[in-house]
Amino acid sequence: MLELKKGIDILSAIGGIQNMDGAERIFEEKCDPENLEKLHFIKNEEALLKIANAISLMTPDSVFINTGSEEDLQKIREMSLTKGEEKALAMKAHTIHYDLPQEQARIIDRTYYIVNEGEKTSVLARKILRSDAFQYINTNFKGIGKGKILLVGFFSRGPVGAQAAIPALEITTSTYVMHSANLLYRHVYHQFDDEAERRGIILTNVHSEGPNRPEDLPNARVFMDRSWLTTFSMFCTYAGNTLLLKKGNHRFAVDLATYFRKEEELSEHMFITGLSRSDGRKTYFAGAAPSGCGKTTTAMVGTDFIGDDLAQLWIAEDGTLRAINPECGIFGIVQDVNREGDPYLMKCLREEGTEVIWTNVLIDDHGVPHWVGNGEEPPKKGVNFQGEWVEGKMDETGKPVPLSHPNARCTLLNSAIGNYNESDAEDPKGVEIKVITYSGRDSDTMPPVWVGKNSDHGVVIGASILSAATATEVGAKGVRRQPWANEPFIPGPLADYMNAQFVFFNSPKLKTKPIMAGLNYFLTHGARGGEGKALLGEKRDVKVWLGWLEKLANNELDAVETPIGFIPKYEDLKILFDGIEKEYPKTLYDKQFAFYIDNMLARIDFQEEAYKKEENISPRLFESYQEQRMGLEALKEKYGSIVSVDQIMETA
Ligand code: SPV
Ligand code: MN
């Protein structure tokens, strides 16, 4: 069990400021009159002490208070250009920021939870004892802000007043990090005191890039103090390592939901998007996918886009499942974003009118960004994440350097995106979620879409996500388990998190239960009797899978019952494919939905074995696996190891 405020508060212990007099003294020393006045508007003492101690710890030359006013936002844009963390591009309001070549993703080998003696964490996570973290921060972080301006911003993770929204401080010497926060999070400087009071907690994030040289990267650390809801990040710039309002605070939100709001809230690595029909019916989805597996793309398929990365879910008074996006912008992967698949994003990226921070893409001689898979003619040279680039450039190991890094991203406001439903996204009551999806990068086993038979089944779909490594983590390799696609962000034991999922989705308080589905866009021809790694599906098919789920959630069609859950009938998909003007031959359906029973059984064995190694995993998981296994074995006995949907229907 997690305990808050346990052990020493490292920030205040090293900062050394214990009371408001001390805080005021350091504010007066480091703030000019204008910034001092801005700071004086904030009355919450916990926040002020955190800020004072961050100043004392990092000893910057001065402090800039970011109120979120247009003037302050503009100041930060200008500071970033002057300092050189960003450069202006040809398009108005577009800039480029480069992370060090060796820091193009989350540095999971240098990311730790700070724990107290005896505290359990996820077996997949790294942890560091509080006393060791204290030493590290005291040695490496103290004085890191010398010669720099420290920026302080007041944000909310979610619309003001939403039950799941949490106020958070971003304290950083990096203008790029603060500029990104300005686009990704809601400023609540004016409501900060009230929100802190209402929620009873605040989250604190302290970062400095330091000298930002490759030689400092081995010393880079991301520390998350679970007990004091404070993050520390040093010697790095990639937003996933530094803008800890995002994944750092998401990890705290997972803890808070799991240990303090069980049966009330969940905190998920999910997009939120809706489908509206011409008759006014609107159905919202929340969907999990591991980083770099098409979450943004799926979210953009909706007519009512709300968010592409994170969702805070809760059971409302009326028994519905509600969700908010803690963010208000996207930090999206640009690789393979093109006119055909992502028209809304392309408009933001290629036409004037949107503020965009680009990272780690190629900039040509005309100040225009380019990236892999954009469907345009690529330039022959430019500057990218590894410096000067020419076509055919090799790295030191003789591997070709791609035009842009596969984890290169663009940061922009959701309100710039054509299908964003801003009024629903800003509603503190959240949107009602009727469909939950879980997906991974699975080349050979699961069909494009299937739906759990009940809540337990649904939870097990989430628990069983499996995915190939992507470029979003430095050094990641191979295929691995990705429970709920949230595993990199679950601080405590997986058993606790899983238990909270079972309790939440089976709760009698949840009167309108969502359907819970698996999605897989990554089946290959090779895995279905053909040749090679080419995918059986295309990006535009996502509309069909979501469309089918929309109809199912609204009780408009029946599905085929199978041991793994419900799958679509060919005729229903055919109609939906007609809707996107695509041929959908029965032969393709047969390939996509045939059961390759041995693969499915091997998958169950693999998951079961892994979960058996962990303590206290709910028996519900094993019961569900066993039930699926028995059903699959019965099919195999009757039809052999490859079973068509027609055969499955015959059995039913
Ligand atoms: C992800 O990798 O899941 C992201 C980007 O959304 S990061 O900020 O690195 O987490
Ligand atoms: Mn993510």
Side-chain angles (χ1 to χ4, degrees), residues 183-338:
L183 296 177
L184 291 173
Y185 296 92
R186 298 162 177 92
H187 273 283
V188 291
Y189 168 78
H190 290 99
Q191 303 100 319
F192 191 84
D193 288 335
D194 290 345
E195 281 296 280
E197 170 92 21
R198 178 182 71 86
R199 192 57 177 80
I201 48 171
I202 56 173
L203 310 176
T204 304
N205 303 290
V206 188
H207 163 257
S208 179
E209 73 282 14
N212 193 31
R213 303 167 304 191
E215 59 264 41
D216 301 309
L217 263 180
N219 298 328
R221 290 292 181 277
V222 178
F223 287 142
M224 287 150 305
D225 189 339
R226 297 173 72 195
S227 300
W228 291 92
L229 305 177
T230 299
T231 70
F232 303 87
S233 163
M234 59 203 92
F235 303 118
C236 46
T237 66
Y238 173 67
N241 298 321
T242 59
L243 179 54
L244 291 176
L245 258 164
K246 195 173 181 67
K247 292 309 190 342
N249 291 173
H250 174 56
R251 290 163 165 121
F252 294 151
V254 170
D255 263 345
L256 293 167
T258 306
Y259 296 103
F260 302 103
R261 294 201 168 173
K262 205 162 156 175
E263 206 180 334
E264 291 170 43
E265 284 185 21
L266 296 178
S267 182
E268 299 297 310
H269 191 212
M270 285 179 173
F271 67 77
I272 306 171
T273 200
L275 282 182
S276 284
R277 299 199 321 176
S278 49
D279 66 0
R281 183 167 88 193
K282 186 162 58 176
T283 306
Y284 275 107
F285 294 62
S291 307
C293 294
K295 204 148 43 63
T296 303
T297 300
T298 310
M300 292 299 161
V301 164
T303 49
D304 299 78
F305 166 64
I306 302 286
D308 81 328
D309 196 38
L310 298 170
Q312 295 282 127
L313 299 149
W314 73 95
I315 303 172
E317 289 282 311
D318 64 359
T320 55
L321 174 60
R322 318 292 301 190
I324 54 160
N325 176 8
E327 312 188 287
C328 61
I330 69 167
F331 174 56
I333 293 178
V334 288
Q335 183 155 318
D336 296 328
V337 167
N338 53 51

Side-chain angles (χ1 to χ4, degrees), residues 611-622:
Y611 276 121
K612 272 190 182 148
K613 286 194 194 121
E614 288 191 43
E615 287 171 29
N616 305 321
I617 295 288
S618 167
R620 286 166 183 252
L621 176 92
F622 300 112

Side-chain angles (χ1 to χ4, degrees), residues 139-155:
T139 310
N140 295 284
F141 206 54
K142 221 162 145 178
I144 200 169
K146 279 206 187 75
K148 296 177 192 283
I149 304 170
L150 187 66
L151 313 170
V152 181
F154 304 83
F155 296 92

Side-chain angles (χ1 to χ4, degrees), residues 106 269 289-296 309 333 406-407 409 440-441 467-473 482 522:
R106 274 181 278 114
H269 191 212
S291 307
C293 294
K295 204 148 43 63
T296 303
D309 196 38
I333 293 178
N407 196 34
R409 292 183 180 247
R441 239 171 225 273
S467 200
T470 66
T472 61
E473 293 178 343
Q482 280 276 10
F522 296 93

Side-chain angles (χ1 to χ4, degrees), residues 73-140:
L73 300 183
Q74 185 52 25
K75 196 77 193 281
I76 288 161
R77 291 182 194 112
E78 286 163 13
M79 279 191 231
S80 213
L81 295 174
T82 313
K83 192 176 167 200
E85 285 195 60
E86 293 170 56
K87 288 198 176 65
L89 295 176
M91 185 88 74
K92 192 168 167 261
H94 284 213
T95 58
I96 174 77
H97 163 85
Y98 291 109
D99 300 297
L100 291 168
Q102 305 84 351
E103 199 220 345
Q104 295 286 309
R106 274 181 278 114
I107 46 172
I108 51 173
D109 60 333
R110 282 153 282 177
T111 298
Y112 295 84
Y113 294 108
I114 298 175
V115 296
N116 298 302
E117 204 91 49
E119 244 164 36
K120 287 213 168 89
T121 52
S122 162
V123 294
L124 299 161
R126 282 175 178 73
K127 59 181 171 184
I128 180 168
L129 266 183
R130 181 168 302 281
S131 49
D132 294 338
F134 179 98
Q135 282 306 334
Y136 197 92
I137 293 166
N138 199 34
T139 310
N140 295 284

